[in-house]
Amino acid sequence: MPRKLIGDWLSPLIYFADNWTSRIGMGIVTTATVLWIFLLPTTLRGEMQNPYIGILSYLVLPGVFFGGLALIPLGIIAKRKLSRRKGRVPTSFGPLNWANTEFRRLVILIGLLTFANIAIGSQFTYGAINYMDSVTFCGKTCHTVMQPEFTAYQDSPHSRVECVKCHIGPGASWFVQSKLSGASQLIAVTLNTYPRPIPAPVHNLRPARDTCETCHWPQKYATDRVKIFPKYAEDETNTASKTVVMIKIGGGNNGIGIHGTHLGVGVKIRYAPSDEQRQTIPWIEYNGPGRQTVYQADGTKGPGNMAVREMDCMDCHNRPAHAYQLPERALDEAMFAGKVSPTLPNAKKEGLELLKATYATREMAAARIPAAFTDFYKQKYPAVYSQNAALVAQSGKEVLAVWERNIFPDMNVTWGKYPVNIGHTDFPGCFRCHDGSHASPDGKTVTQDCGACHTVLAVEEAAPKILTDLGMAPAEDTKPSAPSGKK
Ligand code: HEC
Ligand code: HEC
Ligand code: HEC
Ligand code: HEC
Ligand code: HEC
């Protein structure tokens, strides 16, 4: 390096840099650099799945870094001005060696800062990364905002799958995208401007190919699955019945069944929904081996200006981790599980009424529902109550539990706010397309044949023979014995 340059530029710089503003700037710059280097391995590995670590390493730390960097010349300029005004600018600056006080101070300062930062940073970043990747962080940090999703998640088949596995997935580019949306979400939460409820579908959700398919793969053949839908009537005896369907799930390689026909090899289905929630679908395009067929609802002429979407897992499994139920079905399931006892007269009717009433807060529901359930038996069925007080109390608590899993007044999440697209009984679901009225130009329709998706084995039967044959439900199980003391 030319000696002249060092003498002319560096020495005065180091002399003038010996001031507090520049020192603080250097402190900030070293801290940001060391922390950033600590985060680097996680960021580069690509398995970086957390938006907030990204926010930290791509937005916050660089911001801090440049802020600190700007302080250094500011301090230098200020000190030079001051020295000039006071006429104390030295005529020559010391050489860059240990004898030079300013140089010595600078080297020691940077050395100390680096050492301190490494010592602190190594402890801090590891813990912070682990914490930010955790379900607790995602589900609880913004408690009110995520409470509905976190609650439903804990009750889902994916309760052991981390939020980031579905919401971000592996790889760098989605990571950056999610980070950017994460940043705007943080701002919305801070300013309290986020929408309630959080709108679904999530538009920047990563395609299922990259998330769901890291654990499930559509080519895998899934055997047909028997599903039982229990139901209790709103009468005094809570008359029980069961619907049994055998669902033809199928698989990709053979292009059969539900999975195979939509996601098999060479199949691509595109559709255009006319509403935000994708509940009305006027236009469907099927691209299969050797043919393309377009199906349209009456009066539709092409997708027009509707957004076209390629169908994937999420179009049917839209609530794999956050499914909310309608009150009837939720209560039926709680009764089937014996949590709300079907032996209590009018339990379904009374439970349903309490579930459907409006409560302003979760606290109010918690105070009201179990108490009202108990009061009902005290007044209407005193004999039943006196002999089954514990059962009534426990059932009342379970009615509340159903409510608490589904309703979140703070986030405006009420019954039916988030449609579930599997099936067609509670929400349009499969019938958004399979309603028999989406037709191709040659008059073919997307099938509504009851036998295409499932074999309906029993509809609301008290004791379906099929279940007895399968050894799944001894007939006597389906008729609850009357509780003692019933009038
Ligand atoms: C098995 C995959 C999966 C997991 C695990 C998962 N989610 Fe989701 N989540 C989804 C899908 C799919 C949607 C989109 C729902 C839709 O489009 O209707 C979603 C939607 C959401 C929404 C938008 C609002 C809504 O209800 O649609 C939030 C908020 C959310 N998830 C938070 C979380 C949190 C917090 C966790 C961890 C506690 C988590 N998710 C775990 C798949 C998942
Ligand atoms: C990290 C792995 C992982 C990811 C990612 C994942 N799942 Fe799963 N999924 C599982 C496991 C494990 C089970 C089995 C749970 C059980 O047996 O109770 C499961 C079960 C399911 C089931 C069956 C539920 C039932 O009622 O038996 C469906 C449907 C499903 N997943 C859909 C999805 C969809 C859709 C996505 C993407 C949004 C997804 N999964 C992402 C691990 C994953
Ligand atoms: C056309 C709608 C549709 C699409 C698309 C779809 N599924 Fe399914 N899937 C179903 C139905 C219906 C069932 C039966 C379960 C039910 O009714 O609850 C099912 C069942 C499953 C199960 C449980 C299988 C078992 O053996 O119990 C898993 C896991 C699953 N799907 C994962 C996926 C994944 C991953 C994708 C995307 C690659 C996907 N599904 C795409 C409709 C669909
Ligand atoms: C976005 C529209 C759309 C939705 C939603 C949809 N499907 Fe389909 N489905 C199609 C199309 C398109 C075809 C293929 C029609 C063809 O062969 O031309 C199809 C075909 C099928 C077939 C094969 C029918 C046959 O004739 O063999 C089954 C079974 C099926 N779907 C089940 C389901 C189930 C179950 C659901 C709900 C979980 C569902 N579909 C939701 C569009 C849809
Ligand atoms: C496009 C596919 C498809 C068609 C067509 C279809 N279903 Fe279904 N159906 C399903 C799926 C998927 C489920 C399972 C829903 C679930 O897992 O929650 C179901 C569930 C049911 C159930 C039990 C649900 C309950 O809540 O009791 C009945 C009953 C039923 N279907 C009757 C019919 C009848 C009758 C027809 C003919 C008009 C029909 N389905 C046509 C896909 C279909």
Side-chain angles (χ1 to χ4, degrees):
M1 197 191 259
R3 299 230 110 207
K4 187 148 178 0
L5 186 74
I6 296 177
D8 285 1
W9 287 97
L10 218 48
S11 299
L13 253 164
I14 286 172
Y15 172 83
F16 288 120
D18 194 40
N19 68 71
W20 275 109
T21 313
S22 300
R23 270 182 217 137
I24 291 171
M26 285 173 218
I28 293 173
V29 168
T30 13
T31 310
T33 311
V34 171
L35 282 183
W36 191 80
I37 290 172
F38 271 115
L39 287 170
L40 202 59
T42 334
T43 329
L44 289 185
R45 245 183 286 140
E47 68 194 38
M48 245 318 249
Q49 298 193 330
N50 191 293
Y52 302 96
I53 297 169
I55 296 174
L56 199 63
S57 56
Y58 287 106
L59 297 171
V60 178
L61 286 183
V64 171
F65 177 90
F66 287 113
L69 202 61
L71 282 181
I72 301 176
L74 278 181
I76 294 178
I77 294 168
K79 178 163 175 184
R80 209 168 77 121
K81 265 197 184 150
L82 195 72
S83 305
R84 282 219 175 123
R85 204 177 324 133
K86 294 190 177 166
R88 278 208 228 124
V89 184
T91 42
S92 73
F93 301 94
L96 294 187
N97 62 29
W98 213 241
N100 177 340
T101 324
E102 286 84 24
F103 181 70
R104 205 166 56 225
R105 272 201 212 143
L106 185 73
V107 171
I108 293 175
L109 176 72
I110 293 182
L112 280 179
L113 283 172
T114 311
F115 177 78
N117 275 312
I118 289 177
I120 299 166
S122 59
Q123 297 303 309
F124 160 78
T125 38
Y126 183 71
I129 288 172
N130 272 349
Y131 176 63
M132 287 201 235
D133 258 346
S134 69
V135 167
T136 326
F137 178 79
C138 301
K140 292 211 177 133
T141 306
C142 313
H143 188 77
T144 325
V145 189
M146 298 282 181
Q147 191 189 21
E149 284 75 21
F150 188 53
T151 308
Y153 161 87
Q154 289 170 309
D155 210 37
S156 86
H158 290 106
S159 58
R160 296 290 178 275
V161 175
E162 288 160 17
C163 319
V164 290
K165 289 259 159 59
C166 292
H167 281 280
I168 302 173
S173 78
W174 277 89
F175 164 63
V176 172
Q177 279 200 22
S178 73
K179 180 167 3 68
L180 293 179
S181 76
S184 62
Q185 283 156 18
L186 269 190
I187 295 168
V189 170
T190 318
L191 300 180
N192 205 6
T193 56
Y194 54 88
R196 299 175 178 79
I198 301 176
V202 179
H203 284 281
N204 56 3
L205 201 65
R206 192 168 178 178
R209 288 259 100 108
D210 311 331
T211 52
C212 317
E213 291 183 27
T214 57
C215 294
H216 308 283
W217 52 107
Q219 288 76 21
K220 177 178 174 288
Y221 177 76
T223 42
D224 293 356
R225 193 203 234 193
V226 172
K227 250 190 125 163
I228 304 169
F229 298 85
K231 192 168 178 174
Y232 296 87
E234 289 174 53
D235 55 17
E236 188 170 48
T237 55
N238 309 304
T239 306
S241 66
K242 287 184 188 128
T243 294
V244 185
V245 299
M246 169 105 110
I247 302 173
K248 302 173 179 177
I249 303 176
N253 285 335
N254 342 22
I256 55 166
I258 299 167
H259 282 170
T261 37
H262 299 88
L263 299 167
V265 183
V267 178
K268 184 161 116 185
I269 295 175
R270 302 195 313 146
Y271 71 89
S274 62
D275 65 331
E276 264 302 298
Q277 287 204 312
R278 301 183 186 141
Q279 293 301 297
T280 310
I281 300 180
W283 182 86
I284 311 156
E285 176 195 84
Y286 173 87
N287 298 280
R291 77 178 158 97
Q292 183 191 67
T293 313
V294 172
Y295 299 94
Q296 305 190 89
D298 263 358
T300 308
K301 290 184 185 62
N305 52 12
M306 296 180 284
V308 175
R309 179 180 154 81
E310 184 175 338
M311 195 170 179
D312 71 19
C313 318
M314 261 85 103
D315 292 294
C316 297
H317 299 283
N318 66 330
R319 317 289 316 167
H322 323 291
Y324 308 105
Q325 293 176 303
L326 293 186
E328 291 82 1
R329 191 175 297 282
L331 192 54
D332 282 339
E333 284 180 9
M335 291 175 77
F336 190 56
K339 291 175 176 167
V340 176
S341 177
T343 60
L344 297 173
N346 274 322
K348 172 83 184 276
K349 189 165 180 286
E350 181 59 18
L352 207 52
E353 248 162 51
L354 290 173
L355 286 175
K356 285 180 170 172
T358 310
Y359 310 90
T361 64
R362 288 175 74 80
E363 291 70 30
M364 280 164 80
R368 176 93 187 106
I369 293 176
F373 193 79
T374 304
D375 284 350
F376 173 77
Y377 288 99
K378 271 188 189 157
Q379 283 162 22
K380 296 274 163 57
Y381 297 96
V384 174
Y385 180 73
S386 65
Q387 294 189 27
N388 299 277
L391 190 64
V392 170
Q394 182 240 324
S395 297
K397 278 204 194 105
E398 292 293 344
V399 173
L400 172 65
V402 166
W403 188 91
E404 286 184 328
R405 265 202 310 279
N406 288 285
I407 307 294
F408 302 85
D410 286 346
M411 287 303 293
N412 282 332
V413 174
T414 50
W415 301 113
K417 261 285 157 61
Y418 289 109
V420 180
N421 291 338
I422 286 268
H424 49 80
T425 332
D426 295 348
F427 298 98
C430 311
F431 284 9
R432 290 173 300 159
C433 298
H434 291 268
D435 62 350
S437 77
H438 286 73
S440 67
D442 58 1
K444 238 183 105 190
T445 57
V446 183
T447 185
Q448 199 177 21
D449 174 4
C450 309
C453 307
H454 46 51
T455 314
V456 181
L457 299 166
V459 178
E460 296 186 16
E461 289 178 24
K465 181 173 173 303
I466 179 75
L467 293 185
T468 324
D469 289 351
L470 290 169
M472 288 172 81
E476 61 268 27
D477 255 22
T478 57
K479 238 187 144 59
S481 51
S484 42
K486 193 168 156 218
K487 65 167 184 186

